[in-house]
Amino acid sequence: QVQLVESGGGLVQPGGSLRLSCAASGSIFSRYIVAWYRQAPGNQRELVAEMTPGGTTNYVESLKGRFTVSRDNAKNTLYLQMNSLKPEDTGVYYCNAKRSGVYYWGQGTQVTVSS
């Protein structure tokens, strides 16, 4: 069983930055693909970025250059650095770990971009 706990969300003005964190229960990065998803009100959950055990990152094309995913293996923590935030980035951001068709989700953290 993998437990994921997100933090770092909040209210930020357009153009601002936030860094989200996802603390994992144990050393999962060498075995799981980990990812950030988001869900805006009224929309389906969508992939933001993911990282493979080997460290390869994949981003949604529209977010490249503004969002960066990284991890700290020693802290078992995944990060999402979000820059130049826009109101359309508002939503609940979820951490995800998947392996062999099994998915684990965190509880989500709210990000609101508004002036």
Side-chain angles (χ1 to χ4, degrees):
Q1 185 76 12
V2 174
Q3 294 183 332
L4 304 168
V5 179
E6 302 96 333
S7 61
L11 173 64
V12 62
Q13 292 187 343
S17 297
L18 278 177
R19 189 177 79 157
L20 306 182
S21 300
C22 171
S25 59
S27 302
I28 68 168
F29 296 145
S30 63
R31 296 175 288 124
Y32 287 79
I33 295 173
V34 288
W36 287 99
Y37 284 73
R38 70 182 182 184
Q39 187 167 17
N43 290 357
Q44 291 187 333
R45 195 171 298 187
E46 63 176 1
L47 176 67
V48 172
E50 65 179 13
M51 179 178 283
T52 69
T56 300
T57 55
N58 298 295
Y59 297 90
V60 171
E61 187 68 28
S62 60
L63 299 177
K64 283 184 179 178
R66 293 198 300 123
F67 288 18
T68 303
V69 63
S70 63
R71 71 190 186 200
D72 185 327
N73 293 334
K75 295 182 178 180
N76 298 323
T77 301
L78 182 72
Y79 301 101
L80 182 68
Q81 177 67 43
M82 306 185 293
N83 299 326
S84 302
L85 283 162
K86 305 175 181 180
E88 52 263 41
D89 294 319
T90 294
V92 180
Y93 284 69
Y94 297 91
C95 183
N96 167 273
K98 63 181 180 182
R99 182 188 181 202
S100 301
V102 179
Y103 289 71
Y104 297 97
W105 294 93
Q107 83 288 351
T109 185
Q110 175 71 44
V111 171
T112 302
V113 185
S114 175
S115 55

PDB file of all heavy atoms in Angstrom, residues 24-47:
ATOM      1  N   ALA A  24       5.684  10.607  -0.099  1.00  0.00           N
ATOM      2  CA  ALA A  24       5.306   9.205  -0.273  1.00  0.00           C
ATOM      3  C   ALA A  24       5.720   8.378   0.942  1.00  0.00           C
ATOM      4  O   ALA A  24       6.708   8.692   1.617  1.00  0.00           O
ATOM      5  CB  ALA A  24       5.961   8.639  -1.524  1.00  0.00           C
ATOM      6  N   SER A  25       4.952   7.326   1.180  1.00  0.00           N
ATOM      7  CA  SER A  25       5.242   6.439   2.318  1.00  0.00           C
ATOM      8  C   SER A  25       6.267   5.400   1.893  1.00  0.00           C
ATOM      9  O   SER A  25       5.920   4.281   1.557  1.00  0.00           O
ATOM     10  CB  SER A  25       3.952   5.756   2.785  1.00  0.00           C
ATOM     11  OG  SER A  25       3.392   5.000   1.711  1.00  0.00           O
ATOM     12  N   GLY A  26       7.496   5.763   1.913  1.00  0.00           N
ATOM     13  CA  GLY A  26       8.534   4.819   1.562  1.00  0.00           C
ATOM     14  C   GLY A  26       9.208   5.133   0.238  1.00  0.00           C
ATOM     15  O   GLY A  26       8.826   6.072  -0.468  1.00  0.00           O
ATOM     16  N   SER A  27      10.171   4.331  -0.103  1.00  0.00           N
ATOM     17  CA  SER A  27      10.987   4.567  -1.299  1.00  0.00           C
ATOM     18  C   SER A  27      10.313   3.938  -2.516  1.00  0.00           C
ATOM     19  O   SER A  27      10.552   2.784  -2.855  1.00  0.00           O
ATOM     20  CB  SER A  27      12.371   3.961  -1.092  1.00  0.00           C
ATOM     21  OG  SER A  27      12.992   4.509   0.046  1.00  0.00           O
ATOM     22  N   ILE A  28       9.477   4.719  -3.166  1.00  0.00           N
ATOM     23  CA  ILE A  28       8.701   4.175  -4.276  1.00  0.00           C
ATOM     24  C   ILE A  28       9.229   4.615  -5.644  1.00  0.00           C
ATOM     25  O   ILE A  28       8.870   4.036  -6.665  1.00  0.00           O
ATOM     26  CB  ILE A  28       7.217   4.575  -4.186  1.00  0.00           C
ATOM     27  CG1 ILE A  28       7.047   6.086  -4.404  1.00  0.00           C
ATOM     28  CG2 ILE A  28       6.624   4.146  -2.851  1.00  0.00           C
ATOM     29  CD1 ILE A  28       5.598   6.491  -4.610  1.00  0.00           C
ATOM     30  N   PHE A  29      10.073   5.639  -5.662  1.00  0.00           N
ATOM     31  CA  PHE A  29      10.425   6.241  -6.944  1.00  0.00           C
ATOM     32  C   PHE A  29      11.185   5.293  -7.865  1.00  0.00           C
ATOM     33  O   PHE A  29      11.142   5.451  -9.074  1.00  0.00           O
ATOM     34  CB  PHE A  29      11.227   7.518  -6.722  1.00  0.00           C
ATOM     35  CG  PHE A  29      10.463   8.595  -6.018  1.00  0.00           C
ATOM     36  CD1 PHE A  29      11.105   9.451  -5.131  1.00  0.00           C
ATOM     37  CD2 PHE A  29       9.108   8.775  -6.227  1.00  0.00           C
ATOM     38  CE1 PHE A  29      10.404  10.450  -4.471  1.00  0.00           C
ATOM     39  CE2 PHE A  29       8.392   9.761  -5.583  1.00  0.00           C
ATOM     40  CZ  PHE A  29       9.047  10.605  -4.690  1.00  0.00           C
ATOM     41  N   SER A  30      11.862   4.324  -7.308  1.00  0.00           N
ATOM     42  CA  SER A  30      12.610   3.378  -8.148  1.00  0.00           C
ATOM     43  C   SER A  30      11.708   2.303  -8.739  1.00  0.00           C
ATOM     44  O   SER A  30      12.145   1.524  -9.600  1.00  0.00           O
ATOM     45  CB  SER A  30      13.720   2.726  -7.331  1.00  0.00           C
ATOM     46  OG  SER A  30      13.161   1.963  -6.279  1.00  0.00           O
ATOM     47  N   ARG A  31      10.457   2.260  -8.304  1.00  0.00           N
ATOM     48  CA  ARG A  31       9.562   1.183  -8.739  1.00  0.00           C
ATOM     49  C   ARG A  31       8.271   1.667  -9.380  1.00  0.00           C
ATOM     50  O   ARG A  31       7.579   0.892 -10.058  1.00  0.00           O
ATOM     51  CB  ARG A  31       9.205   0.299  -7.548  1.00  0.00           C
ATOM     52  CG  ARG A  31      10.416  -0.426  -6.977  1.00  0.00           C
ATOM     53  CD  ARG A  31      10.053  -1.204  -5.707  1.00  0.00           C
ATOM     54  NE  ARG A  31       9.803  -0.317  -4.576  1.00  0.00           N
ATOM     55  CZ  ARG A  31       8.688  -0.302  -3.870  1.00  0.00           C
ATOM     56  NH1 ARG A  31       7.688  -1.111  -4.185  1.00  0.00           N
ATOM     57  NH2 ARG A  31       8.552   0.519  -2.846  1.00  0.00           N
ATOM     58  N   TYR A  32       7.924   2.918  -9.135  1.00  0.00           N
ATOM     59  CA  TYR A  32       6.646   3.435  -9.614  1.00  0.00           C
ATOM     60  C   TYR A  32       6.857   4.607 -10.567  1.00  0.00           C
ATOM     61  O   TYR A  32       7.780   5.406 -10.403  1.00  0.00           O
ATOM     62  CB  TYR A  32       5.801   3.937  -8.442  1.00  0.00           C
ATOM     63  CG  TYR A  32       5.215   2.841  -7.580  1.00  0.00           C
ATOM     64  CD1 TYR A  32       5.988   2.199  -6.622  1.00  0.00           C
ATOM     65  CD2 TYR A  32       3.885   2.469  -7.721  1.00  0.00           C
ATOM     66  CE1 TYR A  32       5.452   1.202  -5.832  1.00  0.00           C
ATOM     67  CE2 TYR A  32       3.336   1.473  -6.927  1.00  0.00           C
ATOM     68  CZ  TYR A  32       4.131   0.844  -5.985  1.00  0.00           C
ATOM     69  OH  TYR A  32       3.591  -0.143  -5.210  1.00  0.00           O
ATOM     70  N   ILE A  33       5.972   4.706 -11.552  1.00  0.00           N
ATOM     71  CA  ILE A  33       5.842   5.956 -12.289  1.00  0.00           C
ATOM     72  C   ILE A  33       5.022   6.894 -11.405  1.00  0.00           C
ATOM     73  O   ILE A  33       3.949   6.516 -10.919  1.00  0.00           O
ATOM     74  CB  ILE A  33       5.130   5.737 -13.630  1.00  0.00           C
ATOM     75  CG1 ILE A  33       5.983   4.844 -14.538  1.00  0.00           C
ATOM     76  CG2 ILE A  33       4.843   7.076 -14.310  1.00  0.00           C
ATOM     77  CD1 ILE A  33       5.291   4.440 -15.818  1.00  0.00           C
ATOM     78  N   VAL A  34       5.539   8.087 -11.169  1.00  0.00           N
ATOM     79  CA  VAL A  34       4.835   9.053 -10.333  1.00  0.00           C
ATOM     80  C   VAL A  34       4.428  10.243 -11.187  1.00  0.00           C
ATOM     81  O   VAL A  34       5.086  10.574 -12.176  1.00  0.00           O
ATOM     82  CB  VAL A  34       5.694   9.512  -9.139  1.00  0.00           C
ATOM     83  CG1 VAL A  34       5.811   8.386  -8.116  1.00  0.00           C
ATOM     84  CG2 VAL A  34       7.074   9.962  -9.586  1.00  0.00           C
ATOM     85  N   ALA A  35       3.338  10.858 -10.803  1.00  0.00           N
ATOM     86  CA  ALA A  35       2.785  11.900 -11.654  1.00  0.00           C
ATOM     87  C   ALA A  35       1.971  12.904 -10.857  1.00  0.00           C
ATOM     88  O   ALA A  35       1.569  12.636  -9.718  1.00  0.00           O
ATOM     89  CB  ALA A  35       1.891  11.259 -12.723  1.00  0.00           C
ATOM     90  N   TRP A  36       1.772  14.041 -11.478  1.00  0.00           N
ATOM     91  CA  TRP A  36       0.838  15.053 -10.989  1.00  0.00           C
ATOM     92  C   TRP A  36      -0.325  15.131 -11.975  1.00  0.00           C
ATOM     93  O   TRP A  36      -0.111  15.187 -13.197  1.00  0.00           O
ATOM     94  CB  TRP A  36       1.507  16.415 -10.889  1.00  0.00           C
ATOM     95  CG  TRP A  36       2.468  16.534  -9.766  1.00  0.00           C
ATOM     96  CD1 TRP A  36       3.827  16.420  -9.809  1.00  0.00           C
ATOM     97  CD2 TRP A  36       2.140  16.817  -8.394  1.00  0.00           C
ATOM     98  NE1 TRP A  36       4.365  16.596  -8.574  1.00  0.00           N
ATOM     99  CE2 TRP A  36       3.350  16.843  -7.676  1.00  0.00           C
ATOM    100  CE3 TRP A  36       0.950  17.052  -7.702  1.00  0.00           C
ATOM    101  CZ2 TRP A  36       3.415  17.099  -6.304  1.00  0.00           C
ATOM    102  CZ3 TRP A  36       1.007  17.295  -6.354  1.00  0.00           C
ATOM    103  CH2 TRP A  36       2.218  17.320  -5.665  1.00  0.00           C
ATOM    104  N   TYR A  37      -1.524  15.149 -11.409  1.00  0.00           N
ATOM    105  CA  TYR A  37      -2.740  15.376 -12.169  1.00  0.00           C
ATOM    106  C   TYR A  37      -3.437  16.602 -11.588  1.00  0.00           C
ATOM    107  O   TYR A  37      -3.145  17.018 -10.464  1.00  0.00           O
ATOM    108  CB  TYR A  37      -3.692  14.175 -12.056  1.00  0.00           C
ATOM    109  CG  TYR A  37      -3.310  12.968 -12.865  1.00  0.00           C
ATOM    110  CD1 TYR A  37      -2.247  12.157 -12.485  1.00  0.00           C
ATOM    111  CD2 TYR A  37      -4.023  12.620 -14.008  1.00  0.00           C
ATOM    112  CE1 TYR A  37      -1.898  11.034 -13.225  1.00  0.00           C
ATOM    113  CE2 TYR A  37      -3.689  11.488 -14.752  1.00  0.00           C
ATOM    114  CZ  TYR A  37      -2.630  10.710 -14.346  1.00  0.00           C
ATOM    115  OH  TYR A  37      -2.302   9.588 -15.091  1.00  0.00           O
ATOM    116  N   ARG A  38      -4.368  17.145 -12.326  1.00  0.00           N
ATOM    117  CA  ARG A  38      -5.178  18.229 -11.791  1.00  0.00           C
ATOM    118  C   ARG A  38      -6.613  18.088 -12.294  1.00  0.00           C
ATOM    119  O   ARG A  38      -6.860  17.485 -13.345  1.00  0.00           O
ATOM    120  CB  ARG A  38      -4.604  19.587 -12.167  1.00  0.00           C
ATOM    121  CG  ARG A  38      -4.710  19.947 -13.640  1.00  0.00           C
ATOM    122  CD  ARG A  38      -4.055  21.290 -13.907  1.00  0.00           C
ATOM    123  NE  ARG A  38      -4.184  21.697 -15.305  1.00  0.00           N
ATOM    124  CZ  ARG A  38      -3.634  22.798 -15.801  1.00  0.00           C
ATOM    125  NH1 ARG A  38      -2.913  23.607 -15.024  1.00  0.00           N
ATOM    126  NH2 ARG A  38      -3.807  23.096 -17.085  1.00  0.00           N
ATOM    127  N   GLN A  39      -7.507  18.675 -11.524  1.00  0.00           N
ATOM    128  CA  GLN A  39      -8.914  18.638 -11.880  1.00  0.00           C
ATOM    129  C   GLN A  39      -9.526  20.005 -11.598  1.00  0.00           C
ATOM    130  O   GLN A  39      -9.595  20.432 -10.438  1.00  0.00           O
ATOM    131  CB  GLN A  39      -9.659  17.548 -11.112  1.00  0.00           C
ATOM    132  CG  GLN A  39     -11.082  17.357 -11.553  1.00  0.00           C
ATOM    133  CD  GLN A  39     -11.694  16.086 -11.001  1.00  0.00           C
ATOM    134  OE1 GLN A  39     -11.196  15.495 -10.046  1.00  0.00           O
ATOM    135  NE2 GLN A  39     -12.782  15.635 -11.616  1.00  0.00           N
ATOM    136  N   ALA A  40      -9.938  20.657 -12.668  1.00  0.00           N
ATOM    137  CA  ALA A  40     -10.614  21.946 -12.543  1.00  0.00           C
ATOM    138  C   ALA A  40     -12.098  21.702 -12.318  1.00  0.00           C
ATOM    139  O   ALA A  40     -12.625  20.646 -12.686  1.00  0.00           O
ATOM    140  CB  ALA A  40     -10.399  22.774 -13.806  1.00  0.00           C
ATOM    141  N   PRO A  41     -12.790  22.653 -11.712  1.00  0.00           N
ATOM    142  CA  PRO A  41     -14.230  22.481 -11.465  1.00  0.00           C
ATOM    143  C   PRO A  41     -14.977  22.164 -12.757  1.00  0.00           C
ATOM    144  O   PRO A  41     -14.824  22.856 -13.759  1.00  0.00           O
ATOM    145  CB  PRO A  41     -14.639  23.849 -10.909  1.00  0.00           C
ATOM    146  CG  PRO A  41     -13.398  24.400 -10.307  1.00  0.00           C
ATOM    147  CD  PRO A  41     -12.279  23.922 -11.170  1.00  0.00           C
ATOM    148  N   GLY A  42     -15.765  21.093 -12.715  1.00  0.00           N
ATOM    149  CA  GLY A  42     -16.557  20.706 -13.864  1.00  0.00           C
ATOM    150  C   GLY A  42     -15.808  19.957 -14.940  1.00  0.00           C
ATOM    151  O   GLY A  42     -16.390  19.579 -15.962  1.00  0.00           O
ATOM    152  N   ASN A  43     -14.511  19.749 -14.725  1.00  0.00           N
ATOM    153  CA  ASN A  43     -13.696  19.054 -15.727  1.00  0.00           C
ATOM    154  C   ASN A  43     -13.214  17.712 -15.222  1.00  0.00           C
ATOM    155  O   ASN A  43     -13.250  17.428 -14.023  1.00  0.00           O
ATOM    156  CB  ASN A  43     -12.476  19.906 -16.101  1.00  0.00           C
ATOM    157  CG  ASN A  43     -12.845  21.126 -16.897  1.00  0.00           C
ATOM    158  OD1 ASN A  43     -14.009  21.347 -17.232  1.00  0.00           O
ATOM    159  ND2 ASN A  43     -11.850  21.940 -17.203  1.00  0.00           N
ATOM    160  N   GLN A  44     -12.761  16.898 -16.158  1.00  0.00           N
ATOM    161  CA  GLN A  44     -12.163  15.619 -15.773  1.00  0.00           C
ATOM    162  C   GLN A  44     -10.744  15.832 -15.266  1.00  0.00           C
ATOM    163  O   GLN A  44     -10.095  16.829 -15.576  1.00  0.00           O
ATOM    164  CB  GLN A  44     -12.147  14.679 -16.978  1.00  0.00           C
ATOM    165  CG  GLN A  44     -13.524  14.202 -17.415  1.00  0.00           C
ATOM    166  CD  GLN A  44     -13.459  13.150 -18.502  1.00  0.00           C
ATOM    167  OE1 GLN A  44     -12.503  13.107 -19.269  1.00  0.00           O
ATOM    168  NE2 GLN A  44     -14.452  12.303 -18.562  1.00  0.00           N
ATOM    169  N   ARG A  45     -10.292  14.882 -14.500  1.00  0.00           N
ATOM    170  CA  ARG A  45      -8.913  14.923 -14.028  1.00  0.00           C
ATOM    171  C   ARG A  45      -7.983  14.725 -15.227  1.00  0.00           C
ATOM    172  O   ARG A  45      -8.223  13.857 -16.073  1.00  0.00           O
ATOM    173  CB  ARG A  45      -8.689  13.822 -12.991  1.00  0.00           C
ATOM    174  CG  ARG A  45      -7.440  13.969 -12.175  1.00  0.00           C
ATOM    175  CD  ARG A  45      -7.418  12.964 -11.030  1.00  0.00           C
ATOM    176  NE  ARG A  45      -8.522  13.168 -10.100  1.00  0.00           N
ATOM    177  CZ  ARG A  45      -8.627  12.494  -8.950  1.00  0.00           C
ATOM    178  NH1 ARG A  45      -7.713  11.586  -8.612  1.00  0.00           N
ATOM    179  NH2 ARG A  45      -9.658  12.721  -8.158  1.00  0.00           N
ATOM    180  N   GLU A  46      -6.933  15.522 -15.286  1.00  0.00           N
ATOM    181  CA  GLU A  46      -6.015  15.448 -16.413  1.00  0.00           C
ATOM    182  C   GLU A  46      -4.573  15.370 -15.930  1.00  0.00           C
ATOM    183  O   GLU A  46      -4.212  15.913 -14.888  1.00  0.00           O
ATOM    184  CB  GLU A  46      -6.173  16.677 -17.324  1.00  0.00           C
ATOM    185  CG  GLU A  46      -5.842  17.995 -16.669  1.00  0.00           C
ATOM    186  CD  GLU A  46      -5.919  19.178 -17.611  1.00  0.00           C
ATOM    187  OE1 GLU A  46      -6.258  18.990 -18.796  1.00  0.00           O
ATOM    188  OE2 GLU A  46      -5.630  20.311 -17.169  1.00  0.00           O
ATOM    189  N   LEU A  47      -3.770  14.704 -16.734  1.00  0.00           N
ATOM    190  CA  LEU A  47      -2.348  14.573 -16.428  1.00  0.00           C
ATOM    191  C   LEU A  47      -1.654  15.921 -16.612  1.00  0.00           C
ATOM    192  O   LEU A  47      -1.906  16.633 -17.582  1.00  0.00           O
ATOM    193  CB  LEU A  47      -1.714  13.538 -17.349  1.00  0.00           C
ATOM    194  CG  LEU A  47      -0.214  13.343 -17.225  1.00  0.00           C
ATOM    195  CD1 LEU A  47       0.148  12.727 -15.880  1.00  0.00           C
ATOM    196  CD2 LEU A  47       0.308  12.486 -18.360  1.00  0.00           C
TER     197      LEU A  47
END
